[in-house]
Amino acid sequence: MAREKLAQAKSDALKRGQLPRSEPRRRSGSGAARRDAGDPLPFGRAIRDLLAARGWEQPVAVGGVFGRWPEIVGPDLAAHTRPESFEDGEVLVAADSTAWATQVRLLAATLVKRLNEELGDGTVTRVKVRGPGAGPRPEGGLRVRGSRGPGDTYG
């Protein structure tokens, strides 16, 4: 039944004059198939060409690194930190506690090296660390005068 349908489709196309090419594609001197202007590009190549034309290679690479943060820094560090931004060679990393912020500061040189392995040498020059943000100040009368709230221990 499938053969009959295929034969029917071919005969209909022949009547309309829309049969696919029967002659083989021409080969260029190198032996590779030459691409005609109307031929589609492979998807990966089309994306690479678009990124290059728009100058988006580095932001896309940085986004890829941010998306694979646990694979790059390890699951323990990734559980307590997250990359927030990349600007002018500086990666801003947010930590969920002061202890982890200190740990990231101690590992900053190693992180720069590891990130440059992923992004290309010299892309990342510095890792800046931001500790936990000061949350809303607690309501009520039980407060120490002069206290800055939950951010009081960060420094």
Side-chain angles (χ1 to χ4, degrees):
M1 185 164 157
R3 286 184 184 152
E4 292 173 14
K5 291 291 183 184
L6 179 61
Q8 179 64 39
K10 283 184 178 180
S11 69
D12 291 345
L14 179 62
K15 290 176 188 172
R16 291 190 309 264
Q18 297 177 344
L19 273 182
R21 239 189 256 211
S22 59
E23 74 276 357
R25 292 188 177 213
R26 293 184 211 144
R27 300 275 179 184
S28 63
S30 65
R34 194 181 81 211
R35 192 177 85 73
D36 293 332
D39 287 349
L41 286 174
F43 184 71
R45 182 172 170 200
I47 293 296
R48 282 191 303 273
D49 290 350
L50 174 68
L51 295 176
R54 303 273 171 108
W56 292 343
E57 290 113 337
Q58 186 178 28
V60 168
V62 169
V65 166
F66 282 15
R68 295 182 299 115
W69 185 251
E71 297 169 27
I72 293 169
V73 301
D76 293 334
L77 190 61
H80 299 282
T81 62
R82 70 181 184 285
E84 289 201 333
S85 66
F86 174 79
E87 194 172 313
D88 298 328
E90 181 177 281
V91 175
L92 177 63
V93 177
D96 62 3
S97 70
T98 56
W100 281 103
T102 302
Q103 183 69 19
V104 173
R105 281 192 194 95
L106 294 172
L107 294 172
T110 307
L111 275 176
V112 167
K113 182 180 174 186
R114 180 69 179 103
L115 292 170
N116 281 329
E117 287 173 3
E118 294 287 328
L119 297 170
D121 203 27
T123 305
V124 177
T125 57
R126 183 174 179 223
V127 172
K128 186 175 180 181
V129 183
R130 186 177 60 79
R137 297 185 82 166
E139 298 291 328
L142 299 175
R143 290 189 21 203
V144 176
R145 293 187 193 277
S147 169
R148 294 181 312 181
D152 206 14
T153 60
Y154 182 69

mmCIF file of all heavy atoms in Angstrom, residues 12-50:
data_model
loop_
_atom_site.group_PDB
_atom_site.id
_atom_site.type_symbol
_atom_site.label_atom_id
_atom_site.label_comp_id
_atom_site.label_asym_id
_atom_site.label_seq_id
_atom_site.Cartn_x
_atom_site.Cartn_y
_atom_site.Cartn_z
ATOM 1 N N ASP A 12 1.799 12.169 -9.680
ATOM 2 C CA ASP A 12 1.164 13.492 -9.526
ATOM 3 C C ASP A 12 2.202 14.607 -9.659
ATOM 4 O O ASP A 12 1.950 15.627 -10.291
ATOM 5 C CB ASP A 12 0.454 13.598 -8.175
ATOM 6 C CG ASP A 12 -0.778 12.712 -8.088
ATOM 7 O OD1 ASP A 12 -1.251 12.236 -9.150
ATOM 8 O OD2 ASP A 12 -1.247 12.488 -6.950
ATOM 9 N N ALA A 13 3.372 14.420 -9.041
ATOM 10 C CA ALA A 13 4.433 15.420 -9.128
ATOM 11 C C ALA A 13 4.948 15.550 -10.548
ATOM 12 O O ALA A 13 5.265 16.648 -11.013
ATOM 13 C CB ALA A 13 5.571 15.065 -8.177
ATOM 14 N N LEU A 14 5.028 14.437 -11.279
ATOM 15 C CA LEU A 14 5.496 14.462 -12.660
ATOM 16 C C LEU A 14 4.528 15.265 -13.527
ATOM 17 O O LEU A 14 4.945 16.048 -14.380
ATOM 18 C CB LEU A 14 5.645 13.029 -13.181
ATOM 19 C CG LEU A 14 6.118 12.878 -14.623
ATOM 20 C CD1 LEU A 14 7.511 13.483 -14.767
ATOM 21 C CD2 LEU A 14 6.121 11.424 -15.045
ATOM 22 N N LYS A 15 3.249 15.087 -13.284
ATOM 23 C CA LYS A 15 2.234 15.843 -14.033
ATOM 24 C C LYS A 15 2.363 17.340 -13.774
ATOM 25 O O LYS A 15 2.149 18.151 -14.664
ATOM 26 C CB LYS A 15 0.832 15.364 -13.658
ATOM 27 C CG LYS A 15 0.500 13.989 -14.166
ATOM 28 C CD LYS A 15 -0.863 13.545 -13.671
ATOM 29 C CE LYS A 15 -1.090 12.094 -14.029
ATOM 30 N NZ LYS A 15 -2.311 11.568 -13.408
ATOM 31 N N ARG A 16 2.687 17.713 -12.552
ATOM 32 C CA ARG A 16 2.846 19.127 -12.209
ATOM 33 C C ARG A 16 4.230 19.641 -12.591
ATOM 34 O O ARG A 16 4.491 20.833 -12.493
ATOM 35 C CB ARG A 16 2.639 19.336 -10.711
ATOM 36 C CG ARG A 16 1.221 19.118 -10.255
ATOM 37 C CD ARG A 16 1.033 19.574 -8.807
ATOM 38 N NE ARG A 16 2.018 19.023 -7.894
ATOM 39 C CZ ARG A 16 1.860 17.941 -7.140
ATOM 40 N NH1 ARG A 16 0.742 17.266 -7.184
ATOM 41 N NH2 ARG A 16 2.809 17.539 -6.330
ATOM 42 N N GLY A 17 5.135 18.761 -12.935
ATOM 43 C CA GLY A 17 6.494 19.157 -13.282
ATOM 44 C C GLY A 17 7.333 19.487 -12.056
ATOM 45 O O GLY A 17 8.224 20.329 -12.112
ATOM 46 N N GLN A 18 7.065 18.831 -10.939
ATOM 47 C CA GLN A 18 7.761 19.124 -9.690
ATOM 48 C C GLN A 18 8.482 17.904 -9.139
ATOM 49 O O GLN A 18 8.465 17.648 -7.952
ATOM 50 C CB GLN A 18 6.778 19.634 -8.636
ATOM 51 C CG GLN A 18 6.118 20.923 -9.010
ATOM 52 C CD GLN A 18 5.109 21.338 -7.956
ATOM 53 O OE1 GLN A 18 4.699 20.552 -7.124
ATOM 54 N NE2 GLN A 18 4.704 22.588 -8.022
ATOM 55 N N LEU A 19 9.133 17.182 -9.989
ATOM 56 C CA LEU A 19 9.894 16.040 -9.499
ATOM 57 C C LEU A 19 11.183 16.515 -8.864
ATOM 58 O O LEU A 19 11.758 17.523 -9.286
ATOM 59 C CB LEU A 19 10.227 15.085 -10.641
ATOM 60 C CG LEU A 19 9.167 14.043 -10.960
ATOM 61 C CD1 LEU A 19 9.650 13.145 -12.081
ATOM 62 C CD2 LEU A 19 8.805 13.218 -9.758
ATOM 63 N N PRO A 20 11.663 15.796 -7.865
ATOM 64 C CA PRO A 20 12.941 16.185 -7.288
ATOM 65 C C PRO A 20 14.064 15.998 -8.305
ATOM 66 O O PRO A 20 13.918 15.297 -9.298
ATOM 67 C CB PRO A 20 13.108 15.245 -6.099
ATOM 68 C CG PRO A 20 12.113 14.180 -6.274
ATOM 69 C CD PRO A 20 11.059 14.681 -7.205
ATOM 70 N N ARG A 21 15.167 16.644 -8.022
ATOM 71 C CA ARG A 21 16.334 16.566 -8.901
ATOM 72 C C ARG A 21 16.754 15.129 -9.135
ATOM 73 O O ARG A 21 16.871 14.367 -8.192
ATOM 74 C CB ARG A 21 17.496 17.248 -8.172
ATOM 75 C CG ARG A 21 18.074 18.390 -8.880
ATOM 76 C CD ARG A 21 19.314 18.746 -8.125
ATOM 77 N NE ARG A 21 19.049 19.935 -7.356
ATOM 78 C CZ ARG A 21 19.945 20.837 -7.070
ATOM 79 N NH1 ARG A 21 21.189 20.657 -7.424
ATOM 80 N NH2 ARG A 21 19.643 21.897 -6.409
ATOM 81 N N SER A 22 17.010 14.776 -10.371
ATOM 82 C CA SER A 22 17.463 13.412 -10.636
ATOM 83 C C SER A 22 18.962 13.374 -10.897
ATOM 84 O O SER A 22 19.593 12.345 -10.723
ATOM 85 C CB SER A 22 16.700 12.809 -11.812
ATOM 86 O OG SER A 22 16.904 13.607 -12.969
ATOM 87 N N GLU A 23 19.533 14.515 -11.321
ATOM 88 C CA GLU A 23 20.974 14.525 -11.559
ATOM 89 C C GLU A 23 21.696 14.795 -10.243
ATOM 90 O O GLU A 23 21.185 15.518 -9.394
ATOM 91 C CB GLU A 23 21.365 15.562 -12.617
ATOM 92 C CG GLU A 23 21.321 17.004 -12.152
ATOM 93 C CD GLU A 23 19.947 17.649 -12.218
ATOM 94 O OE1 GLU A 23 18.986 17.014 -12.690
ATOM 95 O OE2 GLU A 23 19.836 18.809 -11.784
ATOM 96 N N PRO A 24 22.880 14.211 -10.086
ATOM 97 C CA PRO A 24 23.610 14.449 -8.837
ATOM 98 C C PRO A 24 24.121 15.887 -8.766
ATOM 99 O O PRO A 24 24.285 16.551 -9.784
ATOM 100 C CB PRO A 24 24.774 13.454 -8.919
ATOM 101 C CG PRO A 24 24.926 13.149 -10.361
ATOM 102 C CD PRO A 24 23.569 13.318 -10.988
ATOM 103 N N ARG A 25 24.347 16.337 -7.553
ATOM 104 C CA ARG A 25 24.883 17.689 -7.368
ATOM 105 C C ARG A 25 26.297 17.758 -7.895
ATOM 106 O O ARG A 25 27.040 16.802 -7.833
ATOM 107 C CB ARG A 25 24.888 18.063 -5.886
ATOM 108 C CG ARG A 25 23.515 18.226 -5.363
ATOM 109 C CD ARG A 25 23.576 18.787 -3.977
ATOM 110 N NE ARG A 25 22.205 18.988 -3.561
ATOM 111 C CZ ARG A 25 21.826 19.944 -2.782
ATOM 112 N NH1 ARG A 25 22.698 20.760 -2.283
ATOM 113 N NH2 ARG A 25 20.573 20.091 -2.459
ATOM 114 N N ARG A 26 26.649 18.936 -8.369
ATOM 115 C CA ARG A 26 28.005 19.133 -8.864
ATOM 116 C C ARG A 26 28.972 19.168 -7.706
ATOM 117 O O ARG A 26 28.667 19.657 -6.628
ATOM 118 C CB ARG A 26 28.106 20.458 -9.614
ATOM 119 C CG ARG A 26 27.328 20.467 -10.878
ATOM 120 C CD ARG A 26 27.578 21.791 -11.574
ATOM 121 N NE ARG A 26 26.375 22.132 -12.313
ATOM 122 C CZ ARG A 26 25.909 23.337 -12.459
ATOM 123 N NH1 ARG A 26 26.540 24.357 -11.948
ATOM 124 N NH2 ARG A 26 24.818 23.550 -13.131
ATOM 125 N N ARG A 27 30.124 18.685 -7.957
ATOM 126 C CA ARG A 27 31.177 18.695 -6.952
ATOM 127 C C ARG A 27 32.137 19.824 -7.262
ATOM 128 O O ARG A 27 32.447 20.093 -8.414
ATOM 129 C CB ARG A 27 31.962 17.374 -6.954
ATOM 130 C CG ARG A 27 31.124 16.167 -6.656
ATOM 131 C CD ARG A 27 31.009 15.996 -5.202
ATOM 132 N NE ARG A 27 30.185 14.841 -4.890
ATOM 133 C CZ ARG A 27 29.877 14.527 -3.679
ATOM 134 N NH1 ARG A 27 30.315 15.245 -2.684
ATOM 135 N NH2 ARG A 27 29.115 13.496 -3.432
ATOM 136 N N SER A 28 32.624 20.477 -6.197
ATOM 137 C CA SER A 28 33.657 21.486 -6.402
ATOM 138 C C SER A 28 34.995 20.772 -6.536
ATOM 139 O O SER A 28 35.081 19.563 -6.394
ATOM 140 C CB SER A 28 33.678 22.477 -5.236
ATOM 141 O OG SER A 28 34.006 21.801 -4.058
ATOM 142 N N GLY A 29 36.038 21.503 -6.759
ATOM 143 C CA GLY A 29 37.351 20.920 -6.970
ATOM 144 C C GLY A 29 37.837 20.082 -5.803
ATOM 145 O O GLY A 29 38.602 19.157 -5.963
ATOM 146 N N SER A 30 37.403 20.397 -4.570
ATOM 147 C CA SER A 30 37.876 19.667 -3.400
ATOM 148 C C SER A 30 37.127 18.358 -3.188
ATOM 149 O O SER A 30 37.467 17.583 -2.322
ATOM 150 C CB SER A 30 37.748 20.539 -2.148
ATOM 151 O OG SER A 30 36.375 20.791 -1.895
ATOM 152 N N GLY A 31 36.086 18.126 -3.965
ATOM 153 C CA GLY A 31 35.335 16.892 -3.800
ATOM 154 C C GLY A 31 34.125 17.053 -2.898
ATOM 155 O O GLY A 31 33.305 16.175 -2.817
ATOM 156 N N ALA A 32 34.003 18.187 -2.211
ATOM 157 C CA ALA A 32 32.859 18.420 -1.338
ATOM 158 C C ALA A 32 31.699 18.985 -2.151
ATOM 159 O O ALA A 32 31.895 19.632 -3.172
ATOM 160 C CB ALA A 32 33.231 19.405 -0.232
ATOM 161 N N ALA A 33 30.483 18.731 -1.724
ATOM 162 C CA ALA A 33 29.324 19.258 -2.421
ATOM 163 C C ALA A 33 29.300 20.770 -2.310
ATOM 164 O O ALA A 33 29.519 21.330 -1.244
ATOM 165 C CB ALA A 33 28.057 18.653 -1.822
ATOM 166 N N ARG A 34 29.040 21.418 -3.433
ATOM 167 C CA ARG A 34 28.960 22.876 -3.432
ATOM 168 C C ARG A 34 27.557 23.284 -3.029
ATOM 169 O O ARG A 34 26.570 22.722 -3.491
ATOM 170 C CB ARG A 34 29.287 23.401 -4.829
ATOM 171 C CG ARG A 34 29.542 24.893 -4.822
ATOM 172 C CD ARG A 34 29.848 25.390 -6.203
ATOM 173 N NE ARG A 34 28.552 25.554 -6.869
ATOM 174 C CZ ARG A 34 28.339 25.401 -8.153
ATOM 175 N NH1 ARG A 34 29.319 25.054 -8.950
ATOM 176 N NH2 ARG A 34 27.141 25.563 -8.663
ATOM 177 N N ARG A 35 27.464 24.267 -2.168
ATOM 178 C CA ARG A 35 26.177 24.725 -1.683
ATOM 179 C C ARG A 35 25.648 25.822 -2.588
ATOM 180 O O ARG A 35 26.321 26.809 -2.859
ATOM 181 C CB ARG A 35 26.333 25.272 -0.259
ATOM 182 C CG ARG A 35 25.015 25.506 0.430
ATOM 183 C CD ARG A 35 25.220 25.980 1.837
ATOM 184 N NE ARG A 35 25.421 27.395 1.939
ATOM 185 C CZ ARG A 35 24.472 28.311 1.787
ATOM 186 N NH1 ARG A 35 23.248 27.944 1.506
ATOM 187 N NH2 ARG A 35 24.731 29.589 1.903
ATOM 188 N N ASP A 36 24.444 25.642 -3.102
ATOM 189 C CA ASP A 36 23.797 26.685 -3.879
ATOM 190 C C ASP A 36 23.273 27.743 -2.933
ATOM 191 O O ASP A 36 23.038 27.493 -1.746
ATOM 192 C CB ASP A 36 22.640 26.105 -4.698
ATOM 193 C CG ASP A 36 23.123 25.161 -5.791
ATOM 194 O OD1 ASP A 36 24.268 25.365 -6.259
ATOM 195 O OD2 ASP A 36 22.377 24.246 -6.151
ATOM 196 N N ALA A 37 23.055 28.951 -3.439
ATOM 197 C CA ALA A 37 22.607 30.063 -2.597
ATOM 198 C C ALA A 37 21.264 29.772 -1.936
ATOM 199 O O ALA A 37 21.002 30.230 -0.835
ATOM 200 C CB ALA A 37 22.528 31.343 -3.412
ATOM 201 N N GLY A 38 20.423 28.984 -2.593
ATOM 202 C CA GLY A 38 19.099 28.707 -2.041
ATOM 203 C C GLY A 38 19.053 27.507 -1.126
ATOM 204 O O GLY A 38 18.028 27.229 -0.516
ATOM 205 N N ASP A 39 20.151 26.762 -1.025
ATOM 206 C CA ASP A 39 20.154 25.568 -0.186
ATOM 207 C C ASP A 39 20.154 25.962 1.290
ATOM 208 O O ASP A 39 20.784 26.942 1.683
ATOM 209 C CB ASP A 39 21.387 24.712 -0.460
ATOM 210 C CG ASP A 39 21.299 23.984 -1.787
ATOM 211 O OD1 ASP A 39 20.202 23.976 -2.375
ATOM 212 O OD2 ASP A 39 22.324 23.436 -2.227
ATOM 213 N N PRO A 40 19.461 25.210 2.109
ATOM 214 C CA PRO A 40 19.464 25.510 3.544
ATOM 215 C C PRO A 40 20.810 25.168 4.185
ATOM 216 O O PRO A 40 21.536 24.311 3.703
ATOM 217 C CB PRO A 40 18.354 24.624 4.105
ATOM 218 C CG PRO A 40 18.233 23.517 3.115
ATOM 219 C CD PRO A 40 18.610 24.086 1.770
ATOM 220 N N LEU A 41 21.120 25.881 5.259
ATOM 221 C CA LEU A 41 22.335 25.606 6.040
ATOM 222 C C LEU A 41 22.009 24.605 7.131
ATOM 223 O O LEU A 41 20.883 24.571 7.620
ATOM 224 C CB LEU A 41 22.818 26.883 6.734
ATOM 225 C CG LEU A 41 23.486 27.948 5.910
ATOM 226 C CD1 LEU A 41 23.745 29.170 6.780
ATOM 227 C CD2 LEU A 41 24.782 27.447 5.346
ATOM 228 N N PRO A 42 22.986 23.819 7.551
ATOM 229 C CA PRO A 42 22.766 23.005 8.753
ATOM 230 C C PRO A 42 22.476 23.932 9.940
ATOM 231 O O PRO A 42 23.008 25.038 10.024
ATOM 232 C CB PRO A 42 24.092 22.273 8.934
ATOM 233 C CG PRO A 42 24.759 22.316 7.603
ATOM 234 C CD PRO A 42 24.289 23.580 6.954
ATOM 235 N N PHE A 43 21.628 23.489 10.848
ATOM 236 C CA PHE A 43 21.168 24.340 11.944
ATOM 237 C C PHE A 43 22.317 24.890 12.787
ATOM 238 O O PHE A 43 22.362 26.072 13.089
ATOM 239 C CB PHE A 43 20.192 23.556 12.826
ATOM 240 C CG PHE A 43 19.588 24.381 13.912
ATOM 241 C CD1 PHE A 43 18.654 25.354 13.628
ATOM 242 C CD2 PHE A 43 19.960 24.201 15.232
ATOM 243 C CE1 PHE A 43 18.106 26.127 14.624
ATOM 244 C CE2 PHE A 43 19.422 24.963 16.243
ATOM 245 C CZ PHE A 43 18.477 25.932 15.928
ATOM 246 N N GLY A 44 23.260 24.026 13.158
ATOM 247 C CA GLY A 44 24.386 24.467 13.989
ATOM 248 C C GLY A 44 25.203 25.557 13.308
ATOM 249 O O GLY A 44 25.600 26.536 13.930
ATOM 250 N N ARG A 45 25.446 25.385 12.024
ATOM 251 C CA ARG A 45 26.219 26.393 11.287
ATOM 252 C C ARG A 45 25.452 27.698 11.180
ATOM 253 O O ARG A 45 26.026 28.784 11.295
ATOM 254 C CB ARG A 45 26.572 25.866 9.907
ATOM 255 C CG ARG A 45 27.415 26.838 9.120
ATOM 256 C CD ARG A 45 27.911 26.240 7.844
ATOM 257 N NE ARG A 45 28.513 27.275 7.033
ATOM 258 C CZ ARG A 45 28.703 27.170 5.745
ATOM 259 N NH1 ARG A 45 28.358 26.070 5.109
ATOM 260 N NH2 ARG A 45 29.247 28.148 5.068
ATOM 261 N N ALA A 46 24.139 27.615 10.946
ATOM 262 C CA ALA A 46 23.324 28.820 10.854
ATOM 263 C C ALA A 46 23.350 29.596 12.169
ATOM 264 O O ALA A 46 23.473 30.827 12.175
ATOM 265 C CB ALA A 46 21.887 28.464 10.477
ATOM 266 N N ILE A 47 23.286 28.890 13.288
ATOM 267 C CA ILE A 47 23.331 29.546 14.598
ATOM 268 C C ILE A 47 24.698 30.180 14.830
ATOM 269 O O ILE A 47 24.801 31.324 15.281
ATOM 270 C CB ILE A 47 22.997 28.542 15.724
ATOM 271 C CG1 ILE A 47 21.540 28.096 15.615
ATOM 272 C CG2 ILE A 47 23.277 29.131 17.096
ATOM 273 C CD1 ILE A 47 20.524 29.200 15.825
ATOM 274 N N ARG A 48 25.783 29.450 14.505
ATOM 275 C CA ARG A 48 27.131 30.010 14.662
ATOM 276 C C ARG A 48 27.313 31.257 13.809
ATOM 277 O O ARG A 48 27.891 32.246 14.258
ATOM 278 C CB ARG A 48 28.187 28.967 14.314
ATOM 279 C CG ARG A 48 28.426 27.950 15.400
ATOM 280 C CD ARG A 48 29.652 27.094 15.125
ATOM 281 N NE ARG A 48 29.587 26.390 13.852
ATOM 282 C CZ ARG A 48 29.020 25.208 13.668
ATOM 283 N NH1 ARG A 48 28.458 24.596 14.695
ATOM 284 N NH2 ARG A 48 29.004 24.637 12.490
ATOM 285 N N ASP A 49 26.811 31.229 12.574
ATOM 286 C CA ASP A 49 26.927 32.397 11.696
ATOM 287 C C ASP A 49 26.143 33.579 12.262
ATOM 288 O O ASP A 49 26.604 34.719 12.217
ATOM 289 C CB ASP A 49 26.425 32.068 10.288
ATOM 290 C CG ASP A 49 27.344 31.114 9.542
ATOM 291 O OD1 ASP A 49 28.469 30.849 10.044
ATOM 292 O OD2 ASP A 49 26.943 30.629 8.471
ATOM 293 N N LEU A 50 24.955 33.320 12.797
ATOM 294 C CA LEU A 50 24.143 34.387 13.384
ATOM 295 C C LEU A 50 24.835 35.002 14.600
ATOM 296 O O LEU A 50 24.907 36.222 14.742
ATOM 297 C CB LEU A 50 22.769 33.847 13.797
ATOM 298 C CG LEU A 50 21.869 34.829 14.548
ATOM 299 C CD1 LEU A 50 21.422 35.950 13.627
ATOM 300 C CD2 LEU A 50 20.680 34.113 15.140
#
